[in-house]
């Protein structure tokens, strides 16, 4: 079968981008969306053109590197699937697929379909951890954690940080990503001592990064490859409300967002 | 909470009100209060079906508790203002989050009501203003005379005008959309959720909304149909 | 110049005395860095997977100044994230007779007696601390209703000692380490440098003092200096092109360090994972693993008849050959990976393979579904089943899965001593990037264990010992050796861009992979290996004449990145075959057809090959130097491995 890929091409953040349409032969339905791009890139390079830059690594749906919009849906039409696992059998001969990068001011564009998601790392830096240095741990079974609690925590912890939630949200909100980490650690007894501080700091960072507000409509969870539920956002709101009250006496700071790629190099 | 500069953490951090989450919590609380008003107001107005004496007595009663009525009015005004200021500020922020828009974007998981809050809200606001001018202040009262204190007359006369009723019904339907999202969303914004309760709540929001909207709409329909005259 | 020449006597610095006390006494004898002095030391960690992230976090907690590099956009993307099944620990929570000694024993035996006893014992000891540390970090391990940690069993062991978090154990452990790392980034102890790739090692006065790294966004090459360099960059499985590794996984960091003098040990010890989704076409870019944990509840079979094309559900029970259960009654479907893989290949070579290509066997969970119910199976393997269905469009709840072996892990890597230091002073190597703990075959759920043991519990001590006991001169980026390394890296990048030939990087890589898989894959023989070496040399020749890299070197250029990595694979592949040719025995993942027992099992030759083969680089196109580190077994006596 043949498909047309209409892809956003943009050399760098400062240049003007545009859509370019490329016809691609799909060998069989088991081919993934990214393998389709591989085939296209081989062709482009054969013609001396620059290949399409796209982010990818594990190609088994867990690293969270890949992701772009396909016909207006983050990660494409198949639920709970990253683009690396999206096989071409879900499309028909002659389909036109519009591939567009995540669009958010908190994910500045790098090149073609590649964006900068370091804002997510900074949200984790702000408090997405349990402050326990190596060597401090009691025996693994010292604190019992009920199966249901462990399962709930795992539901939230399954987030792969791909950014689809932000990309799909009409408001560009990072509530699902932030909520998932706050919920994962807040649910577990190990995360309780820092629950308030974590929520307040992570929410502050999320706001400083310039993400939009959550209007509880659920577009994020609809595209989430790991189907992180909307209730993680409620969990964040609860922890934040309680935390903001209990931590009202404490100073909260945030990390200045960085968008350049200069690491002290001359 | 205050802000400070320390090491590489230096940005000013948003206060409760400045944070998107804080604003949403304020919207939830104010929305809940406004919802209570919507229920109470309906309960009062449905007395129109019991005849002029009953509803005019109710109106009279409200005027006898002037200070309390004003207290309630002030609370409601504050709620409306906060609700609106928060929304407007969030909307302005949200429009800025995507400087380059998508060439195409499909909604796959949200309902119509979820996505129409931004304009169901302003229309409802316009309606509320019109409604107050019509029935409370009496400034707008097309095709009849506003009689201060004769609520029954004002209702019947007001709704006898077809376009007043149509505007009323249209606005109430939008209020319904607004409440259908808002009624469960407020719980989400305040973090009051549970995997078992939340689906029930969503259903309940729908049915409560239907009952309330039906209740309100029954009044102009009753007038137009001649059941209330 | 800027390079360490291989020493002839490798001192592995394994402590003497009883093995149970060896690590304790080694730690006691190590010199310490005063807490106040730690902040005066700077360290470079390359890689942010389990080993790199845990090392960076822990060294940051101790107060060192750490720079951590990763080529991905975020440290959380490292390929440790894809490990599915679990992590071993000798906790004996199941009361089934496990102990540190048993884990040690199983690992040495599973590695077919080609690992160092001392290292493995320490790994088993650390395993229990790893679980504790990860639980404290909030890793949501599976739990029993009563709140205690749950375990599952895994290949190569008869006890249940594998801790897991659904089918995403690697993800959860990595996120634990990543979060600990981000906490140190926040305190300023660790500087995270993402999207930056190490392209050379800076060696000054015989000591590793830094790296040359390329910023993948700006293309800028920079010298980063430190007092020690820690490589935690993973394995080299992608030399086979198709593997379960991530597309970005590469050997460039360790290979460039090798070219600066670090010895490469046992490159031919590669692991083939028995349970992957079979290849479906030429465009295929990678292979997807189905966790080995499926073998717990799954039964592997093929039709008894050759060329039986009936759908699996129509083949009656008595016409099925459960060949692992038949051949290995005591371990059954849970034989170690190398044994399971080899058997699958043998069966397919007989013509009894299933699926369109005939390269596949059934992994059937229908008995377990009948016994435990769909819900239990969904809970245990739901995400794996979903993944399988997404890729193949077949429902594993109804039809047996088809699986085939694929390259998965590389036991070989840079040679390190007991302190995880390579033969280049100041160069430490952790995790899959080193060769140390798994011998010739790694047991399932042991890679996560090793990465975290190295990062959380070994390097923090040994790097301190190095810093406290070594005189390090002050150096700056203008040092002639640093500048020379920078200049040669610049030339290397420019050379790749200047070829402007006809073939893409991927086409070279794919061809290399095919040579490697055909002649140096699941089974190897001398003739094939010699041929492969010739073919690789010719391919390398062509690569440098006919490579086509479009674009420039001063922005994000993914084919340029790949080109550098494939150039290194083209050298590493040759060494891998040379090592395989040199090792005239079969052991673990290295199966030489000439050396097998009458019933087709691997035949070791302990008399001649009980050593670590450490190869030294002598220059482009020149033969490698082989140094042998003899292996001694004082506790687990080498025997013919039997899982019958």
């Amino acid at each position: 079968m043949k498909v047309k890929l209409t892809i956003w091409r943009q050399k760098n953040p400062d240049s003007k981008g545009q859509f370019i349409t490329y016809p691609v032969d799909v060998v069989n339905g088991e081919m993934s969306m990214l393998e389709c791009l591989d085939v296209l890139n081989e062709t482009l390079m054969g013609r001396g053109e620059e290949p399409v830059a796209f982010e990818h690594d594990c190609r088994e749906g867990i690293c969270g590197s890949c992701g772009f919009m396909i016909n207006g849906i983050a990660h494409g039409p198949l639920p709970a699937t990253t683009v690396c696992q999206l096989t071409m059998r879900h499309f028909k001969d002659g389909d036109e697929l519009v591939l567009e990068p995540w669009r958010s001011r908190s994910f500045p564009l790098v090149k073609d379909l590649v964006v900068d998601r370091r804002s997510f790392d900074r949200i984790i830096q702000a408090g997405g951890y349990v402050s326990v240095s190596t060597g401090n741990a009691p025996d693994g079974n010292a604190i019992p954690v009920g199966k249901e609690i462990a399962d709930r925590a795992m539901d939230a912890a399954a987030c792969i940080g791909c950014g689809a939630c932000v990309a799909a949200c009409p408001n560009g909100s990072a509530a699902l990503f932030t909520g998932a980490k706050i919920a994962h650690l807040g649910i577990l007894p190990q995360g309780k001592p820092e629950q308030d501080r974590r929520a307040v700091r992570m929410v502050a960072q999320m706001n400083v990064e310039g993400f939009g507000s959550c209007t509880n409509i659920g577009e994020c969870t609809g595209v989430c490859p790991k189907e992180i539920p909307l209730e993680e956002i409620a969990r964040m709101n609860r922890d934040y409300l309680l935390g903001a009250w209990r931590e009202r006496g404490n100073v909260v700071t945030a990390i200045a967002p960085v968008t350049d790629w200069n690491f002290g190099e001359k | 909470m205050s802000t400070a500069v320390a090491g590489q953490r230096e940005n000013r951090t948003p206060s409760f009100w400045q944070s998107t989450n804080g604003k949403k919590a304020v919207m939830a609380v104010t929305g809940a209060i406004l919802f209570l008003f919507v229920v109470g107001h309906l309960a009062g107005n449905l007395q129109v079906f019991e005849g002029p004496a009953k509803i005019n007595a109710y109106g009279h009663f409200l005027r006898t508790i002037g200070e309390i009525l004003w207290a309630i009015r002030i609370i409601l005004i504050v709620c409306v203002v906060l609700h609106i200021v928060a929304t407007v500020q969030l909307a302005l922020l949200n429009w800025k989050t995507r400087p380059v828009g998508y060439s195409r974007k499909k909604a796959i998981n949200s309902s119509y009501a979820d996505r129409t809050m931004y304009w169901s809200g302003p229309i409802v606001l316009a309606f509320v203003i019109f409604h107050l001018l019509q029935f409370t202040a009496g400034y707008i009262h097309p095709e009849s005379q506003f009689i201060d204190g004769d609520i029954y007359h004002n209702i019947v006369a007001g709704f006898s005008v077809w376009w007043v009723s149509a505007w009323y019904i249209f606005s109430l339907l939008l209020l319904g959309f607004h409440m259908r999202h808002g009624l469960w969303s407020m719980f989400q914004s305040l973090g009051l959720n549970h995997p078992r309760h939340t689906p029930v709540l969503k259903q309940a929001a729908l049915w409560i909304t239907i009952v309330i909207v039906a209740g309100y709409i029954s009044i102009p329909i009753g007038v137009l149909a001649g059941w209330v005259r | 110049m800027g390079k360490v020449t291989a020493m002839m006597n490798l001192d592995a610095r394994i402590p003497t005395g009883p093995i149970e006390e060896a690590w304790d006494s080694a730690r006691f004898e190590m010199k310490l860095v005063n807490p106040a002095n730690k902040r005066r030391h700077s360290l470079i960690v390359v890689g942010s997977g389990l080993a790199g992230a845990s090392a960076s976090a822990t060294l940051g907690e101790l107060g060192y100044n750490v720079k951590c590099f990763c080529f991905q956009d975020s440290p959380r993307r490292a390929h440790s994230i894809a490990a599915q099944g679990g992590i071993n620990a000798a906790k004996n929570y199941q009361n089934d007779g496990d102990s540190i000694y048993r884990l040690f024993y199983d690992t040495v035996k599973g590695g077919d007696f080609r690992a160092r006893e001392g290292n493995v014992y320490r790994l088993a000891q650390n395993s229990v601390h790893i679980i504790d540390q990860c639980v404290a970090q909030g890793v949501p391990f599976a739990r029993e209703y009563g709140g205690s940690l749950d375990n599952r069993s895994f290949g190569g062991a008869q006890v249940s000692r594998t801790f897991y978090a659904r089918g995403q154990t690697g993800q959860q452990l990595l996120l634990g380490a990543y979060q600990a790392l981000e906490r140190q980034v926040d305190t300023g102890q660790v500087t995270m440098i993402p999207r930056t790739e190490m392209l050379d090692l800076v060696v000054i006065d015989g000591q590793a003092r830094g790296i040359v790294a390329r910023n993948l966004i700006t293309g800028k090459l920079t010298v980063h200096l430190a007092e020690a360099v820690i490589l935690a960059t993973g394995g080299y499985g992608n030399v086979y092109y198709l593997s379960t590794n991530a597309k970005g996984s590469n050997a460039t960091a360790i290979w460039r360090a090798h070219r600066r003098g670090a010895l490469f040990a046992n490159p031919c010890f590669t692991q083939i994972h028995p349970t992957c989704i079979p290849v479906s076409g030429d465009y295929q870019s990678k292979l997807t693993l189905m966790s080995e944990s499926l073998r717990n509840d799954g039964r592997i079979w093929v039709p008894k008849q050759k060329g039986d094309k009936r759908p699996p559900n129509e083949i009656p029970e008595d016409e099925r050959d459960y060949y692992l259960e038949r051949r290995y009654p005591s371990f059954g479907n849970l034989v170690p990976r190398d044994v399971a893989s080899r058997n699958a290949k043998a069966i397919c070579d007989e013509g009894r393979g299933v699926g369109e290509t005939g390269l596949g066997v059934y992994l059937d969970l229908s008995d377990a579904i009948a016994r435990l119910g769909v819900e239990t199976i969904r809970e245990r393997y739901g995400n794996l089943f979903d993944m399988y269905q997404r890729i193949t469009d077949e429902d594993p709840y109804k039809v047996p899965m088809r699986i085939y072996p694929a390259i998965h892990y590389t036991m070989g890597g840079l040679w390190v001593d007991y302190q995880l230091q390579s033969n280049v002073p100041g160069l430490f190597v952790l995790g899959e990037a080193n060769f140390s703990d798994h011998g010739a075959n790694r047991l399932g759920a042991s890679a996560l264990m090793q990465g975290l043991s190295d990062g959380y519990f070994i390097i923090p001590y040994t790097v301190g010992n190095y810093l406290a006991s070594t005189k390090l001169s002050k150096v700056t980026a203008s040092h002639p050796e640093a500048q020379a390394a920078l200049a040669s890296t610049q030339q290397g990048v420019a050379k790749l861009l200047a070829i402007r030939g006809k073939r893409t990087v991927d086409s070279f890589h794919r061809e290399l992979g095919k040579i490697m898989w055909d002649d140096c894959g699941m089974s190897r023989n001398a003739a094939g290996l010699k041929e492969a070496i010739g073919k690789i040399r010719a391919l390398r020749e062509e690569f440098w004449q006919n490579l086509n890299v479009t674009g420039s070197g001063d922005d994000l250029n993914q084919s340029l990145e790949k080109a550098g990595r494939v150039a290194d694979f083209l050298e590493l592949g040759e060494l891998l075959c040379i090592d395989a040719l040199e090792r005239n025995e079969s052991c673990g993942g290295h199966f030489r057809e000439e050396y097998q027992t009458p019933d087709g099992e691997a035949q070791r030759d302990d008399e001649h090959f009980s050593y670590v083969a450490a190869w030294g680089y002598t220059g482009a196109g020149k033969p490698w130097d082989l140094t042998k580190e003899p292996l001694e077994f004082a506790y687990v006596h080498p025997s013919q491995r039997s899982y019958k």
Side-chain angles (χ1 to χ4, degrees):
Chain A
M1 81 180 189
K2 285 187 200 306
V3 293
K4 268 189 272 174
L5 299 182
T6 298
I7 303 173
W8 182 260
R9 301 302 306 264
Q10 185 171 345
K11 190 152 176 51
N12 57 52
D14 306 320
S15 64
K16 212 170 122 42
Q18 58 172 332
F19 282 105
I20 298 182
T21 302
Y22 306 94
V24 178
D25 257 329
V26 178
V27 188
N28 83 26
E30 228 160 276
M31 201 169 177
S32 74
M33 186 70 232
L34 295 190
E35 285 167 344
C36 224
L37 285 177
D38 290 341
V39 170
L40 170 65
N41 279 345
E42 290 287 294
T43 319
L44 290 178
M45 285 186 279
R47 298 203 300 243
E49 291 175 38
E50 261 209 76
V52 179
F54 62 96
E55 200 109 52
H56 66 104
D57 201 18
C58 77
R59 297 213 177 183
E60 44 189 279
I62 192 75
C63 73
S65 297
C66 68
F68 41 77
M69 307 295 280
I70 302 176
N71 290 347
I73 303 175
H75 285 302
L78 205 66
T81 305
T82 52
V83 285
C84 64
Q85 295 223 293
L86 174 65
T87 48
M88 296 307 286
R89 76 170 72 88
H90 300 285
F91 301 104
K92 294 189 307 289
D93 187 45
D95 274 359
E96 184 188 5
L97 308 179
V98 179
L99 274 44
E100 208 169 347
W102 295 161
R103 301 235 187 248
S104 160
R105 71 166 164 179
S106 312
F107 290 166
L109 191 128
V110 174
K111 185 176 185 177
D112 295 342
L113 301 173
V114 179
V115 298
D116 173 7
R117 290 168 291 194
R118 282 178 294 173
S119 46
F120 272 11
D121 287 329
R122 288 188 292 268
I123 291 176
I124 299 296
Q125 270 166 46
Y129 43 73
V130 175
S131 298
V132 53
S133 296
T134 308
N136 284 339
D139 185 83
N141 265 343
I143 303 170
V145 180
K147 184 177 184 317
E148 273 115 16
I149 301 217
D151 285 347
R152 272 283 296 116
M154 183 64 217
D155 288 343
C159 169
I160 59 174
C162 64
C165 45
V166 174
C169 177
N171 305 325
S173 165
L176 194 65
F177 170 80
T178 313
K181 189 48 67 192
I182 289 175
H184 158 210
L185 296 173
I187 290 165
L188 290 171
Q190 286 83 2
K192 292 284 183 211
E194 280 174 291
Q195 193 171 6
D196 294 334
R197 185 171 180 269
R198 175 183 310 117
V200 168
R201 285 172 49 126
M202 288 180 74
V203 164
Q205 190 66 37
M206 178 181 85
N207 278 281
V208 166
E209 296 290 346
F211 290 105
S213 79
C214 174
T215 46
N216 306 328
I217 66 173
E219 282 298 319
C220 50
T221 181
V223 297
C224 176
K226 298 293 150 187
E227 299 181 302
I228 307 281
L230 213 52
E231 59 187 271
E232 314 304 3
I233 297 178
R235 177 85 203 192
M236 164 178 70
N237 290 331
R238 179 163 63 215
D239 283 9
Y240 174 69
L241 293 181
L242 292 173
W245 176 250
R246 291 198 203 116
E247 295 270 310
R248 62 193 180 277
N250 293 338
V251 170
V252 179
T253 56
I255 307 150
V258 182
T259 52
D260 71 19
W261 290 96
N262 179 12
F263 301 109
E265 298 135 336
K266 272 156 271 157
Chain B
M1 285 186 295
S2 55
T3 57
V5 176
Q8 59 158 350
R9 321 189 110 256
E10 51 195 14
N11 252 53
R12 282 181 63 86
T13 58
S15 64
F16 183 81
W17 168 252
Q18 285 165 340
S19 77
T20 54
N21 310 52
K23 275 201 181 84
K24 286 294 287 188
V26 169
M27 286 178 64
V29 171
T30 52
I33 294 170
L34 293 171
F35 169 72
L36 291 179
F37 165 75
V38 166
V39 173
H41 187 56
L42 175 64
N45 288 4
L46 284 179
Q47 296 177 61
V48 77
F49 288 102
E50 296 186 40
K54 188 87 181 182
I55 192 155
N56 286 347
Y58 168 65
H60 183 71
F61 161 75
L62 286 181
R63 295 188 173 208
T64 59
I65 53 160
E67 291 82 6
I68 299 173
L69 185 66
W70 271 107
I72 292 171
R73 281 175 173 170
I74 286 166
I75 290 171
L76 290 176
I77 289 167
V78 168
C79 284
V80 168
V81 169
L82 284 175
H83 201 81
I84 292 170
V85 170
T87 315
V88 169
Q89 289 182 347
L90 287 177
L92 291 176
L93 166 73
N94 293 341
W95 278 325
K96 278 191 282 185
T97 61
R98 190 158 288 141
V100 183
Y102 289 113
S103 69
R104 57 184 74 187
K105 177 76 173 60
K106 263 190 213 133
I108 57 165
N109 202 41
S110 48
S111 71
Y112 189 72
D114 293 335
R115 281 178 276 118
T116 49
M117 295 298 278
Y118 282 134
W119 59 272
S120 62
I123 294 177
V124 168
L125 174 68
F127 165 73
V128 169
I129 294 167
F130 176 86
H131 192 69
L132 287 172
L133 291 176
Q134 182 177 20
F135 289 112
T136 309
Y139 287 145
I140 304 173
H141 219 70
E143 298 180 33
S144 68
Q145 190 60 45
F146 179 77
I147 303 172
D148 199 21
D150 189 350
I151 298 170
Y152 190 84
H153 162 82
N154 292 340
I155 290 176
V156 175
F159 285 135
S160 298
V161 182
W162 72 268
W163 62 264
V164 170
S165 286
W167 165 230
Y168 179 94
I169 291 169
F170 170 70
S171 303
L172 261 296
L173 287 174
L174 280 185
L175 177 66
F177 277 125
H178 203 80
M179 286 203 312
R180 201 216 138 173
H181 173 85
L183 269 183
W184 72 266
S185 177
M186 63 172 76
F187 289 88
Q188 179 82 5
S189 294
L190 293 173
L192 303 170
N193 77 312
H194 191 278
R196 282 195 82 92
H197 303 162
T198 304
V200 177
L201 204 62
K202 278 192 178 186
Q203 277 299 306
L206 176 63
W207 288 106
I208 291 171
T209 302
I210 288 174
V211 167
I212 288 176
V213 171
Y216 274 111
I217 289 177
S218 69
I219 300 171
I221 288 179
V223 171
L224 289 175
W227 302 325
V228 180
R229 52 178 114 200
Chain C
M1 211 182 75
K3 178 174 177 321
V4 174
T5 36
M7 31 182 171
M8 284 307 103
N9 290 315
L10 284 176
D11 179 8
R13 291 197 282 173
I14 300 166
T16 49
I19 201 163
E20 295 84 356
E21 291 155 28
W23 177 230
D24 278 348
S25 64
R27 274 191 294 178
F28 180 70
E29 275 158 28
M30 283 182 202
K31 295 215 175 77
L32 300 175
V33 179
N34 175 313
N37 285 338
K38 288 197 176 101
R39 65 170 180 270
R40 298 201 189 122
H41 292 292
S42 58
L43 302 170
I44 283 174
V45 178
V46 185
S48 66
L50 283 180
S54 60
S56 303
T58 307
L59 292 167
E61 287 160 8
L62 288 172
Y64 294 107
N65 290 309
V66 181
K67 269 188 194 174
C68 180
F69 294 79
C70 70
F71 71 81
Q72 299 94 336
D73 69 325
S74 160
R76 67 181 294 154
R77 313 269 183 233
H79 196 53
S80 306
I81 201 134
Q84 297 170 350
I87 177 167
N88 287 332
K91 283 285 198 185
N92 193 30
Y93 283 157
Q94 303 306 320
N95 198 29
D96 56 1
D98 199 8
S99 62
I100 287 171
Y101 197 91
R102 186 177 293 280
L103 176 53
F104 156 68
Y105 176 91
D106 285 349
T107 307
V108 171
K109 179 186 168 201
D112 221 355
F113 305 95
R114 290 294 174 263
R116 281 189 204 132
E117 281 191 331
N119 286 54
V120 177
Y121 195 87
R122 175 180 61 186
L123 175 66
Q125 284 175 305
N126 283 342
S127 71
V128 297
H129 305 305
I130 295 169
I131 298 303
D132 298 342
Q133 180 63 28
C134 295
V135 166
Q137 287 172 342
V139 170
F141 283 118
R143 298 275 176 164
E144 308 275 7
Y145 279 99
S148 53
L149 289 155
D150 192 15
N151 291 116
R152 53 167 63 142
S153 39
F154 238 72
Q158 286 174 312
V159 291
S160 214
R161 63 159 80 96
T162 303
F163 294 78
Y164 65 101
R166 295 208 185 129
Q168 290 129 281
T169 317
Q171 181 199 23
Q172 294 310 314
L173 295 176
L174 181 65
L175 291 182
Y178 156 76
Q179 289 162 199
L181 168 65
E182 291 295 352
R183 177 173 156 242
Q184 293 308 310
V185 172
D186 187 39
T187 64
Q189 283 305 125
V190 177
T191 307
M192 189 66 222
I193 306 185
R195 290 200 200 267
T196 303
E197 179 173 42
M198 166 177 164
L199 291 183
D200 206 353
L201 181 73
V202 176
V203 179
I204 295 174
D205 302 333
Q207 293 161 329
R209 292 304 300 270
I211 63 171
V212 178
R214 180 169 180 269
N215 181 322
L216 300 182
I217 299 291
T218 63
K220 200 145 269 177
L221 288 165
T222 312
V223 173
H224 297 265
L225 295 174
E227 278 151 312
V229 175
I230 297 163
L231 301 185
T233 54
Y236 49 91
N238 269 348
V239 68
Y240 289 83
Y241 187 71
L242 282 182
S243 80
T244 64
N245 285 8
K247 290 298 284 177
S249 299
N250 67 82
T252 287
I254 55 172
W255 193 254
R256 306 276 167 110
H258 172 61
R259 293 218 299 216
R260 290 277 171 195
L263 298 178
F264 208 112
N266 296 339
C268 80
F269 289 165
T270 52
Q271 178 167 75
I272 310 222
H273 196 290
T275 52
C276 298
I277 300 178
V279 177
S280 67
D282 292 335
Y283 55 81
Q284 188 131 358
S285 59
K286 80 153 270 159
L287 297 171
T288 305
L289 176 79
M290 302 304 294
S291 167
E292 187 174 1
S293 60
L294 288 164
R295 286 202 277 146
N296 262 323
D297 289 310
R299 301 179 68 195
I300 293 174
W301 64 275
V302 289
K304 283 188 178 158
Q305 278 302 317
K306 271 186 200 176
D308 189 339
K309 288 287 167 202
R310 283 177 291 175
N313 293 342
E314 286 173 22
I315 301 177
E317 201 58 33
D318 59 346
E319 290 177 44
R320 298 176 178 189
D321 180 12
Y322 295 91
Y323 58 91
L324 288 178
E325 295 170 24
R326 173 169 59 79
R327 296 192 64 186
Y328 308 94
S330 71
F331 277 70
N333 293 299
L334 286 176
V335 291
R337 290 175 173 175
D338 54 335
V339 179
S341 297
R342 226 157 24 237
N343 276 281
K345 176 178 158 51
I347 291 282
C348 294
D349 289 349
E350 274 175 39
R352 293 200 284 149
V354 300
E356 241 168 67
T357 56
L359 293 176
V361 297
Y362 289 124
L363 173 61
D364 194 342
L365 275 92
S366 53
D367 283 3
I369 291 174
R371 188 174 71 244
L372 302 164
V374 172
E375 270 321 301
T376 311
I377 295 297
R378 195 186 305 277
E379 196 158 288
R380 283 188 196 166
Y381 310 113
N383 63 323
L384 298 173
F385 278 30
D386 292 348
M387 191 156 83
Y388 182 83
Q389 185 161 15
R390 266 199 297 276
I391 293 173
T392 63
D393 210 20
E394 291 170 5
D395 180 0
Y397 291 101
K398 299 195 179 109
V399 194
M401 288 185 260
R402 286 173 296 114
I403 53 158
Y404 197 66
I407 289 285
H408 178 55
Y409 186 88
T410 51
M411 282 73 70
L414 291 187
W415 183 89
V416 289
D417 62 17
Y418 188 73
Q419 309 236 352
L420 302 183
Q421 183 173 242
S422 72
N423 59 309
V424 179
L427 177 70
F428 293 80
V429 191
L430 318 183
E432 191 180 349
N434 74 26
F435 89 104
S436 70
D437 294 358
H438 305 297
N441 175 52
R442 180 175 65 76
L443 291 182
S446 286
L448 303 182
M449 176 170 71
Q450 188 220 339
L452 291 179
S453 167
D454 289 0
Y456 283 134
F457 297 110
I458 300 175
I459 195 69
Y461 304 105
T462 60
V463 89
N465 180 45
Y466 171 75
L467 295 172
S469 58
T470 310
K471 218 178 130 30
L472 293 156
S473 52
K474 261 213 149 8
V475 293
T476 63
S478 58
H479 191 281
E481 292 295 1
Q483 286 303 310
L486 181 63
S488 74
T489 313
Q490 261 155 358
Q491 284 159 15
V493 174
K495 199 171 154 194
L496 289 167
L497 284 162
I499 305 169
R500 299 282 170 203
K502 291 260 180 307
R503 284 182 68 179
T504 60
V505 186
D506 269 357
S507 84
F508 283 106
H509 195 179
R510 206 173 264 134
E511 187 175 337
L512 171 67
K514 189 159 164 28
I515 299 171
M516 296 300 299
W517 179 247
D518 289 347
D519 293 324
C520 199
M522 259 187 289
S523 64
R524 303 147 180 195
N525 62 56
L529 288 167
K530 282 180 192 147
E531 205 186 308
I533 292 167
K535 283 193 222 161
I536 293 169
R537 284 179 186 156
L539 186 65
R540 193 164 63 219
E541 194 89 342
E542 196 199 336
F543 178 88
W544 289 107
Q545 303 294 325
N546 197 23
L547 175 70
N548 171 22
V549 177
T550 53
S552 77
D554 49 20
D555 72 336
L556 177 64
N557 186 339
Q558 292 168 323
S559 46
L560 176 62
E561 294 164 23
K562 260 192 259 178
R565 295 167 191 169
V566 172
D568 293 337
F569 280 137
L570 282 164
E571 295 177 9
L572 198 161
E574 182 187 345
L575 179 62
L576 205 162
C577 294
I578 289 172
D579 187 43
L581 184 61
E582 177 81 20
R583 192 170 279 278
N584 289 319
E585 63 161 352
S586 294
C587 60
H590 170 65
F591 189 78
R592 281 281 299 271
E593 287 157 10
E594 304 95 316
Y595 308 100
Q596 47 184 310
T597 61
D599 54 353
E601 301 295 337
Q603 179 75 62
R604 273 197 341 265
D605 179 354
D606 291 332
E607 198 189 330
H608 299 103
F609 292 97
S610 186
Y611 63 73
V612 174
W615 298 91
Y617 187 80
T618 60
K622 293 192 191 141
W624 277 267
D625 266 348
L626 172 61
T627 310
K628 298 173 184 174
E629 180 207 329
L631 290 169
E632 279 150 34
F633 294 90
Y635 294 86
V636 188
H637 294 288
S639 57
Q640 170 68 36
R641 264 193 327 164
S642 170
Y643 294 92
K644 298 261 176 201

